[in-house]
Amino acid sequence: MRALDIKLFRDLWHVRGQVIAIACVLGAGIATYVMSAATLDSLLTTQASLYRQYRFPEFFVGLKRAPASVRDRVAALPGVQVVEDRVIAPANIELPSYAMPVSGSIISLPEHAGALNLLHVHAGRLPEPGRDNEAVVSDGFAKAHKLIPDFPLNITINGKKKVFRIVGVVSTPEVIYQLAPGSIVPDFKSYCILWMQREPLEAAYNMTGAFNELVGTLTPGTQVEDVAAAIDAILRPYGGQGVFGRETQISHRYLSEEFKQLGVMATVFPVIFLSVAAFLLNVVVGRLMATQRGQIAILKAFGYSTASVVWHFLKFTAVIAALGLALGIAGGHWLGSGMAQLYKDVYRFPYLEFSLRPGVLLVSALVSIVAAGVGTVVSVMRSAAESPAVAMQPAPPGTYNISLMERLGARWFAQPTRMILRNIERRPMKSLMSIGGVAMSTGILVLGGFWGDAVDYMVFAQLRRAQLEDISVTFVGPVSNRALYSLASLPGVSYVEPTRSVAARLRFEQNSYRTAITGIEPEGRLRRLLNDKLQPVEVPPEGILLTDHLGKMLGVKPGDTLTVELLEGSRAVRQVPVAALVSEYIGVAGYMHRDSLNRVLREGDSLSGAFLQADMSYAPEIYRRLKAMPAVAGTGARAQALESFYETIAKQMLTFAFFNVILASTIAIGVVYNTVRIALSERSRELASLRVLGYTRGEVAYILLGELAVLVFLAIPAGLLFGRWLAGVMAQMSQTELFRVPVVVDPSTYALAALVVAVSTVVSAAAVGRKVSHLDLVEVLKARE
C-alpha cells in the first residue's frame, strides 16, 4: 500500500469514535430522505398499477333511478369510451358478536367482460350467477370482524331481511379509503361494502331494469369537464346528482390528500434533516481537518504536492461519507419498507410494490459527498497554503485584552471559570458554530415530537370540543322531525339534536368545490362550530359558514356571495352569503342554520340525522333498538370515531414522527459527541500545558467540559425556538383537504428535546473526560514554545 493510504487507515482508526459519530449524523439525514422518498414512490407506483389493473373509472355520477336504455345515450356521447351502469343499495347488517349497528352499501357486480372496478379476491370466490344469497365483503370489514368465506350474515335491504352467505373477501381501488356517509375517518367495524349479483340486488331494491349510478372512462385527451354538461343534461330528469371526476371520488380524493401530505413530509423533513446534517458535517469535518494542520505541514515538507495532500484528506472524509451513506441507505430502506407495509395495511392494498429508485440513491450520494468534501477542501487548502515551517508550529496565540465578561464581573470568578468564559468570548465564530450545531439538533428533536402534540390537539379540538355527542344517527333519506320523538324515547337518551346534510357544489368566481352542507341547530349542545381559539361561533339565521381551509380554497371571505348548487332533489341553484369562517382541523365542509338550509331546499322541517346524548351503560339496548328502525341507515359512536382516527390517520403520522425522533436523536447525540471530542483535539496541547503548570486533572477537565456545558446551555433555548419555527413551517406546508396540522408544541416535547441533548452531553463528557487523564505531558514539555 502507498504510504498515504497506510496513514489514512491509521488516522481513521485513531479517530474511530468521531468517524462513527459523524457517519451516524450523516446516515440519519440520508435515512430520513430515503425512507420518505422510497415510501412515497412505492405508494404512487402501486396506486397507478392498481388503477390500471383493476380498471378504476374516470368519472362517476349518482342518480335516483333511470332505465337501462339511458346508459346507451351516455355511451354514445363524444369523448366517452366505456360506460357501466350499476345498482347501489344501502343496507343494515347484523353481527351477533358486535353490539353496535353496522351499516353498509351493496354494489352490483358487472355482468359483462371488460367491466370497470374489478375486484381483487383475497379469499374465497366471487358470487356465482343465479345465486341470490351469495355476496362478497370488503377485506377491511372482514379483517375487523375476523370473517371467513361461508360466514352467514343477516342483511336488511329496503326493509327486508335476508340471510346471505359470504363466499369471498375482496378489495377494489374504489374503496381503498372506506368511509361511511358523513364520516371523516374509516371505520371498518361499523361500515361495510358488499358486492352481489345484479339481478337479485335489483329485485331486493326495486330497481329491476334500472340503475342508480353510472361510471365510465374517457377517450385519451378528453377531460371530465368536456362531457359533464352533456351527461348531466341526459341524467337530470332522473335525479342526476352531477358528474364528478376521479379526483373528487371519495376514496381517491382522500388517498391523494394523504399522499400529498406524505409528499410534503417526504420533501420538507428530508430537506431539513439533510440541511442540518450537511451543515453539521461541514463544520465538524472542517474542525477535524483543522486539527490535522501539523500533519499537513509535514506532508508538504516531505515533498507531497498540495493536490496530493487535498486528495489524501478527501479520501479520509470520503470513507466517512461512504459509511454514512451506507448506514443511511440501509436504515432508510428498512424504515421505508416498514412505513410502506403500514400504509398497505391501513389502505388495504392487495399488494405493494416497494422500490428504491436510483435517483434517490444518487441524491443521497451527492449530498454526502458535497457535505463532507466542502469542509475538507476549505480546511486543507487553508493549512496547505502555509509554509511547512510555519504550519508545523502551533497556531500563533491571539492578542487578547481584558474581555467583556471580565469587565462585567467575571474576574471575580476562579481562574478555571474565567478561562472558560475568555475562550468562549475570544473565539466567537467557533463558539457560535458549536451553539448552532447543538441548537439545530435540538430543533429537529422538537420537530420530530411536534407531530404527536399536533395529533392530540386535533383530537381534542374536533372530537372533544366540537363533537360532543355520544351517538350519531344517519337516516336512509330526509325524514320529518317526528323521528326525533322515536330517538328521544330510547332508554338512556337524555337529549336529541337534529341535523340535515345535503350534497352541494359551491362556486365562487372561477373556483368550485363539491362537498356537503350540514344544517345544525343554532344553540346546539352536541355539535358546535369553533373559531381558531376553540371558542363557539354563533350560527346565524341566514348565510353559510365555511371551514377556513375551504374558504381559502374558494377564495371567499365573510360578506362574499357564494353560488350553491344543490345536488339532491330539485337541483336548485341559490345565492347564499358567506356569514363567517370556522376552524376545523379534519375535513372541509359548509354549515348553515338547519331552518335556513331547509328553506333553501324547500322541504319543510326535515332532517337527515341526529346526535344523541346518552348514558352509555344503556348502549347495547340503544343499539338493539336502532337496528330495528328501518329508517336508520347507520350509527356512529364518538368513542369509536376516536379509536378509528388513532388506528388510521394518527397511526401513520405518529409512526412517521417516531422514526424521525429516533433519527433526530441520532443526529443530536452525534453532534454533541463530536463537539466535545473535537474540542479536546483542538485544545489537547493547551490542556496538557496546564497540567504541567500544576492544574489537577479535575481542573483541566472542568475547563474543557465546563465550556461545553456553557455552550449547550446557550444552545438549548435557541434550539427550542428553532424547533418551534420548523414546526410552523412544516404545519403550513402540510395543509390538505383531509386535515390541517395545528402549530402546537407541548412542554413535554421541549423537555424531551432538552433532556436528550443534556443526556448526550453528559455521556459524551464522561467518554471524553477519561481521555483528559491520558494527555501526553512529555510531548508538551518537548515543545519549544
Side-chain angles (χ1 to χ4, degrees):
M1 296 178 67
R2 294 176 53 198
L4 286 184
D5 292 334
I6 296 174
K7 175 184 178 301
L8 170 65
F9 287 105
R10 286 176 176 171
D11 288 346
L12 286 170
W13 179 254
H14 181 66
V15 292
R16 57 188 178 277
Q18 290 170 262
V19 168
I20 294 173
I22 296 172
C24 287
V25 170
L26 181 60
I30 291 174
T32 307
Y33 171 67
V34 172
M35 173 186 73
S36 306
T39 301
L40 181 59
D41 287 344
S42 300
L43 289 172
L44 292 175
T45 301
T46 301
Q47 181 190 34
S49 175
L50 286 173
Y51 283 9
R52 192 168 51 249
Q53 182 178 351
Y54 294 99
R55 307 197 65 192
F56 187 45
E58 294 176 276
F59 71 85
F60 306 77
V61 56
L63 55 147
K64 190 171 182 179
R65 179 189 175 99
S69 59
V70 173
R71 183 198 64 186
D72 298 331
R73 294 171 56 192
V74 174
L77 291 173
V80 175
Q81 187 176 53
V82 177
V83 174
E84 183 175 299
D85 61 321
R86 58 185 185 174
V87 176
I88 299 181
N92 290 322
I93 300 154
E94 292 185 18
L95 279 174
S97 59
Y98 190 62
M100 290 183 62
V102 177
S103 61
S105 295
I106 303 182
I107 303 174
S108 62
L109 288 167
E111 301 176 311
H112 55 84
L116 304 177
N117 279 324
L118 301 179
L119 301 180
H120 176 87
V121 180
H122 293 268
R125 58 175 175 83
L126 295 177
E128 295 180 357
R131 302 284 183 90
D132 63 355
N133 67 334
E134 293 185 348
V136 291
V137 66
S138 57
D139 65 324
F141 184 79
K143 183 177 180 180
H145 293 283
K146 300 180 180 178
L147 303 183
I148 58 175
D150 288 331
F151 189 90
L153 273 185
N154 289 322
I155 303 177
T156 301
I157 307 174
N158 202 23
K160 300 176 183 178
K161 183 183 295 187
K162 184 175 181 177
V163 178
F164 284 80
R165 190 165 65 92
I166 300 303
V167 297
V169 176
V170 301
S171 65
T172 176
E174 185 181 16
V175 290
I176 287 175
Y177 207 96
Q178 183 175 306
L179 285 178
S183 298
I184 55 178
V185 293
D187 184 356
F188 294 113
K189 291 184 178 179
S190 300
Y191 183 69
C192 175
I193 304 289
L194 302 105
W195 291 262
M196 61 183 293
Q197 289 294 334
R198 178 161 178 168
E199 185 175 344
L201 182 58
E202 284 182 351
Y205 198 51
N206 294 329
M207 277 280 177
T208 302
F211 65 91
N212 61 358
E213 184 170 82
L214 206 64
V215 299
T217 58
L218 304 172
T219 57
T222 304
Q223 303 297 318
V224 174
E225 294 77 12
D226 300 334
V227 299
I231 297 175
D232 282 343
I234 294 174
L235 297 181
R236 186 172 287 111
Y238 305 99
Q241 298 173 3
V243 176
F244 58 91
R246 180 186 290 178
E247 71 281 354
T248 311
Q249 196 268 343
I250 190 70
S251 178
H252 175 81
R253 188 174 77 184
Y254 273 78
L255 202 61
S256 297
E257 291 299 313
E258 286 274 12
F259 290 173
K260 186 187 299 181
Q261 196 272 342
L262 179 61
V264 171
M265 297 179 76
T267 303
V268 179
F269 250 120
V271 166
I272 292 172
F273 272 58
L274 283 174
S275 298
V276 171
F279 170 79
L280 297 175
L281 184 62
N282 192 298
V283 172
V284 168
V285 169
R287 291 177 63 181
L288 183 61
M289 291 300 102
T291 64
Q292 305 289 319
R293 181 170 174 268
Q295 292 190 30
I296 294 171
I298 293 173
L299 292 174
K300 290 293 295 294
F302 274 94
Y304 287 96
S305 66
T306 300
S308 298
V309 173
V310 171
W311 178 241
H312 166 69
F313 284 101
L314 278 175
K315 288 193 291 185
F316 180 91
T317 50
V319 173
I320 301 177
L323 180 58
L325 182 63
L327 290 174
I329 292 175
H333 186 278
W334 178 69
L335 293 174
S337 60
M339 284 293 295
Q341 184 62 43
L342 170 66
Y343 278 97
K344 177 180 179 294
D345 294 341
V346 169
Y347 296 134
R348 319 303 309 158
F349 285 164
Y351 60 86
L352 194 142
E353 301 171 355
F354 184 78
S355 60
L356 186 57
R357 289 186 295 112
V360 174
L361 302 179
L362 180 61
V363 170
S364 302
L366 287 176
V367 168
S368 59
I369 291 171
V370 171
V374 171
T376 302
V377 171
V378 171
S379 298
V380 174
M381 289 296 291
R382 185 185 302 118
S383 298
E386 297 179 342
S387 66
V390 174
M392 281 189 286
Q393 300 295 324
T399 302
Y400 293 143
N401 297 316
I402 298 176
S403 66
L404 176 61
M405 291 184 181
E406 289 174 305
R407 291 194 183 99
L408 295 176
R411 62 180 180 274
W412 301 109
F413 290 120
Q415 189 64 33
T417 303
R418 292 167 64 185
M419 294 174 68
I420 292 172
L421 299 178
R422 284 173 186 165
N423 195 58
I424 292 174
E425 182 182 343
R426 289 169 176 170
R427 302 181 67 182
M429 187 55 64
K430 169 183 165 297
S431 300
L432 287 175
M433 287 294 187
S434 298
I435 291 172
V438 177
M440 285 184 173
S441 61
T442 306
I444 59 175
L445 273 171
V446 173
L447 180 61
F450 149 72
W451 289 100
D453 301 334
V455 167
D456 290 339
Y457 188 83
M458 290 165 62
V459 170
F460 172 75
Q462 194 83 17
L463 299 177
R464 300 191 188 278
R465 292 295 300 273
Q467 302 177 11
L468 303 178
E469 74 277 4
D470 296 306
I471 299 172
S472 61
V473 176
T474 304
F475 297 112
V476 174
V479 299
S480 71
N481 63 354
R482 290 192 299 272
L484 297 177
Y485 299 109
S486 300
L487 297 178
S489 66
L490 294 173
V493 174
S494 57
Y495 177 70
V496 179
E497 189 172 292
T499 182
R500 176 71 170 100
S501 183
V502 59
R505 185 178 297 279
L506 309 180
R507 302 183 186 274
F508 182 76
E509 296 179 347
Q510 75 277 12
N511 302 316
S512 68
Y513 189 80
R514 182 185 177 115
T515 185
I517 299 177
T518 302
I520 60 176
E521 297 300 289
E523 298 179 356
R525 289 159 34 189
L526 303 182
R527 185 57 61 94
R528 304 187 299 176
L529 303 179
L530 308 174
N531 59 21
D532 56 356
K533 296 181 175 59
L534 300 188
Q535 297 171 336
V537 175
E538 182 179 354
V539 182
E542 301 293 337
I544 187 170
L545 299 94
L546 302 177
T547 55
D548 47 7
H549 190 70
L550 179 56
K552 185 185 301 183
M553 292 167 58
L554 293 173
V556 301
K557 59 184 181 300
D560 291 336
T561 300
L562 199 64
T563 300
V564 177
E565 178 187 342
L566 302 175
L567 299 178
E568 296 180 14
S570 64
R571 295 285 300 272
V573 178
R574 304 280 188 262
Q575 301 296 316
V576 182
V578 177
L581 300 178
V582 297
S583 179
E584 287 188 352
Y585 296 111
I586 305 176
V588 292
Y591 297 94
M592 295 179 69
H593 191 299
R594 188 174 66 89
D595 293 340
S596 176
L597 179 58
N598 279 328
R599 284 195 296 272
V600 170
L601 290 167
R602 297 177 181 173
E603 288 182 348
D605 190 5
S606 65
L607 55 134
S608 57
F611 306 118
L612 279 58
Q613 186 178 63
D615 181 350
M616 294 307 286
S617 64
Y618 289 89
E621 179 62 18
I622 294 174
Y623 293 143
R624 187 185 68 80
R625 296 201 182 186
L626 287 174
K627 289 178 181 178
M629 296 183 180
V632 173
T635 62
R638 187 160 57 103
Q640 183 68 32
L642 187 62
E643 180 183 342
S644 297
F645 179 83
Y646 273 107
E647 287 181 353
T648 54
I649 298 175
K651 184 178 181 180
Q652 303 158 37
M653 294 176 65
L654 294 178
T655 302
F656 197 94
F658 173 75
F659 288 161
N660 280 287
V661 167
I662 298 299
L663 296 172
S665 300
T666 303
I667 290 178
I669 294 170
V671 168
V672 172
Y673 176 79
N674 274 291
T675 298
V676 65
R677 187 64 183 84
I678 291 176
L680 175 62
S681 299
E682 292 174 335
R683 303 185 65 187
S684 58
R685 186 188 298 264
E686 174 189 342
L687 297 176
S689 299
L690 292 176
R691 287 282 290 118
V692 172
L693 292 175
Y695 280 77
T696 65
R697 290 189 180 93
E699 289 173 323
V700 171
Y702 171 73
I703 292 171
L704 176 66
L705 302 179
E707 180 178 340
L708 173 67
V710 172
L711 295 176
V712 171
F713 179 77
L714 295 174
I716 287 177
L720 299 181
L721 293 175
F722 178 61
R724 177 63 170 72
W725 178 79
L726 288 178
V729 171
M730 194 70 192
Q732 182 64 32
M733 297 187 67
S734 299
Q735 293 190 10
T736 66
E737 297 176 26
L738 180 57
F739 58 84
R740 274 74 59 201
V741 181
V743 187
V744 178
V745 183
D746 193 79
S748 62
T749 298
Y750 289 127
L752 177 62
L755 180 62
V756 170
V757 173
V759 171
S760 302
T761 304
V762 172
V763 173
S764 300
V768 174
R770 292 198 301 269
K771 296 183 179 294
V772 175
S773 302
H774 300 88
L775 291 172
D776 193 345
L777 306 187
V778 175
E779 182 65 25
V780 174
L781 291 174
K782 290 180 180 179
R784 288 180 293 173
E785 70 275 11

